[in-house]
Amino acid sequence: MHKRCVTSVATTDNFRIGLQRIFNTFGAQGLSAQRCWSELPSGSPTHQESAYAFKMVALQAAADEGFDTLLWCDSCIVPIRDVTPLWEH
């Protein structure tokens, strides 16, 4: 059985609005496994130090928690359908 997780990071107010939308949408679909940060994950370099490295740090943190199937969602993503077919693929 796979342990699935949606992961995202948002560090500004505009992006945090999108992060909340992702959290609410996937929660309504019954996906409780979400790892979303409103600040950079612990140990992450800043975007200026290493562009987009925070994504890998966040994904690694989710994997370290035991999740083996990860889906990264930028905060601009607007989920419009159930993601079950994506997981199954």
Side-chain angles (χ1 to χ4, degrees):
M1 175 79 103
H2 292 286
K3 287 186 65 182
R4 300 169 174 158
C5 181
V6 172
T7 307
S8 190
V9 173
T11 58
T12 66
D13 287 341
N14 286 342
F15 292 131
R16 287 182 187 124
I17 292 167
L19 187 70
Q20 188 63 48
R21 179 183 54 237
I22 290 169
F23 187 81
N24 292 342
T25 302
F26 286 124
Q29 291 180 11
L31 180 61
S32 61
Q34 301 179 66
R35 297 300 177 261
C36 300
W37 288 265
S38 60
E39 301 294 332
L40 290 175
S42 179
S44 178
T46 66
H47 190 63
Q48 291 74 22
E49 293 171 326
S50 183
Y52 305 106
F54 66 90
K55 294 181 180 188
M56 297 302 106
V57 174
L59 288 166
Q60 185 62 57
D64 290 347
E65 290 182 37
F67 294 100
D68 60 9
T69 307
L70 306 172
L71 174 63
W72 176 266
C73 284
D74 282 330
S75 62
C76 64
I77 296 296
V78 179
I80 59 171
R81 291 188 199 104
D82 183 359
V83 294
T84 301
L86 180 62
W87 295 123
E88 291 172 350
H89 180 70

